Amino acid sequence: MDLDAYSTAHAAEWDRLRELSRRRRFAGRDADELIEHYQAGATQLSAITTSAGQVPQAASLSVLLSRARLRFTGATAEPLAQLARYATREVPAALYRIRILTLVVGALFVIIASLYAVWVASTPGVLAALGPYDELRQYAEEDFVGYYSASSEAVFGLQVFSNNAWIATQAVAFGITGLYVPFIVFQNAQGLGISAGIMAEFDRLDVFFLSILPHGQLEIYAIFVASAGGLMIFWAWVSPGPRTRLQALAEDGRALFAIIGGLVAALLVSGIIEGYVTRQEWPDVVRIGIGTVALVAFLLYQWMLGGRAARDGETGDLDPISRGARVVVGD
């Protein structure tokens, strides 16, 4: 069997089955069509597995048939099974959808922050405009590091989580405008770059990185993810492709809720690290190593687990159909 030719020949049928399985309400003829396409798809899946075994086309069609079957069986998963699916399939698949956009946002952030750092550190007039020299020295030598021990670990971690969650919320909530996300990225990159420039002026750039890296790796990457999620909604509105704008916004909006789940976990972990690890007098390699492990774990979750879920046909759009919503036949 030529799998590519076979998949092309039946692509329209599978697209129609996917469309029907995502509906929340059905007219009677649509419910009949859903069952007909399901039966045809089951036959096609059997033909594929018999001829070629468990190939990616079979896995994708199997997921699609499972969703369709749940529409007319009304089967529901156990709460723990639903939670496990959410954490191991839907969230990483949604994060995987915006992986490239996340990297683009990250690259722009680093470029902007670096340019501001160099500008502040190398231009006396800019440094003077930021404030009195003695106050800048105090910031570099005392206030920057003192910030991390200004309150107890638990209180400080909660403050950090709340602040970062607020930034991420703005990126997500106002992403559809297409303007607010670039503003947030620029504003935060500018602030980080100016801080680095001041620290460099007083030969404290090493302290800057040693203070930022333990928690900042995951924290800043989470802001990139939030920004990419907001831009995803903006692009769904601007260029929905073959979907209607309403359908595109609905589907990508559901995926955005899955992304938010991943962001909450990432920001909570980074807040704990900033509250309990950054301030410790541990060897730098230990403190930075903890932050690096946290970032790598999130990257594996997004890229590897998310990629696997996506290849299996998971979209990450939190479609209630895929979790067992019943077929509701309208008039």
Side-chain angles (χ1 to χ4, degrees):
M1 175 185 290
D2 186 334
L3 287 177
D4 290 335
Y6 191 81
S7 298
T8 301
H10 295 286
E13 300 174 50
W14 298 344
D15 287 343
R16 179 59 175 165
L17 178 60
R18 182 177 293 105
E19 177 188 348
L20 290 169
S21 66
R22 286 177 172 173
R23 291 189 181 180
R24 299 192 180 190
R25 300 187 66 85
F26 285 84
R29 60 182 178 277
D30 291 334
D32 292 339
E33 187 180 0
L34 172 67
I35 295 174
E36 290 172 2
H37 279 293
Y38 171 82
Q39 293 171 337
T43 301
Q44 292 152 6
L45 176 61
S46 177
I48 292 173
T49 54
T50 300
S51 174
Q54 293 298 324
V55 293
Q57 291 91 333
S60 179
L61 182 56
S62 178
V63 171
L64 179 57
L65 290 171
S66 296
R67 291 180 172 179
R69 182 171 61 250
L70 289 174
R71 291 316 311 268
F72 54 79
T73 62
T76 57
E78 293 295 329
L80 289 179
Q82 291 180 334
L83 181 60
R85 175 183 173 80
Y86 173 77
T88 63
R89 305 281 294 177
E90 293 169 344
V91 172
L95 291 170
Y96 186 77
R97 288 177 61 175
I98 59 171
R99 65 197 186 282
I100 303 301
L101 188 54
T102 300
L103 294 181
V104 171
V105 171
L108 292 174
F109 183 96
V110 171
I111 291 171
I112 294 170
S114 299
L115 290 175
Y116 264 95
V118 172
W119 187 40
V120 170
S122 61
T123 310
V126 174
L127 194 67
L130 294 175
Y133 198 76
D134 290 341
E135 291 183 8
L136 296 179
R137 180 186 295 278
Q138 180 178 337
Y139 171 81
E141 296 181 352
E142 299 178 20
D143 296 347
F144 185 85
V145 174
Y147 164 76
Y148 296 100
S149 57
S151 55
S152 68
E153 288 92 340
V155 172
F156 184 69
L158 182 59
Q159 290 174 342
V160 169
F161 171 76
S162 300
N163 179 66
N164 292 328
W166 173 238
I167 296 173
T169 299
Q170 293 177 76
V172 167
F174 301 108
I176 195 170
T177 66
L179 298 175
Y180 201 72
V181 168
F183 170 74
I184 290 175
V185 172
F186 178 83
Q187 184 183 53
N188 284 274
Q190 179 189 50
L192 189 67
I194 290 174
S195 293
I198 295 173
M199 297 294 284
E201 168 66 18
F202 295 97
D203 296 323
R204 303 274 290 175
L205 196 58
D206 57 335
V207 176
F208 172 82
F209 284 111
L210 291 175
S211 299
I212 291 291
L213 287 177
H215 63 275
Q217 297 178 71
L218 180 57
E219 174 185 274
I220 295 174
Y221 189 80
I223 300 303
F224 299 163
V225 171
S227 300
L231 291 175
M232 177 185 70
I233 295 298
F234 169 69
W235 197 246
W237 171 61
V238 172
S239 180
R243 304 172 296 178
T244 65
R245 280 188 169 80
L246 185 60
Q247 182 183 18
L249 288 171
E251 291 178 359
D252 290 352
R254 289 193 297 267
L256 189 60
F257 277 102
I259 291 170
I260 290 171
L263 284 172
V264 169
L267 292 174
L268 181 60
V269 171
S270 67
I272 292 173
I273 293 174
E274 189 164 359
Y276 288 88
V277 175
T278 299
R279 68 176 65 196
Q280 301 300 329
E281 297 295 332
W282 299 341
D284 296 330
V285 66
V286 173
R287 296 187 303 112
I288 295 174
I290 292 173
T292 302
V293 168
L295 174 62
V296 169
F298 188 84
L299 290 174
L300 292 175
Y301 183 72
Q302 178 185 27
W303 287 76
M304 293 190 64
L305 191 59
R308 184 181 305 167
R311 287 189 293 273
D312 289 343
E314 181 62 63
T315 63
D317 67 358
L318 296 182
D319 189 345
I321 295 167
S322 66
R323 297 194 301 278
R326 294 181 179 272
V327 173
V328 181
V329 180
D331 295 332

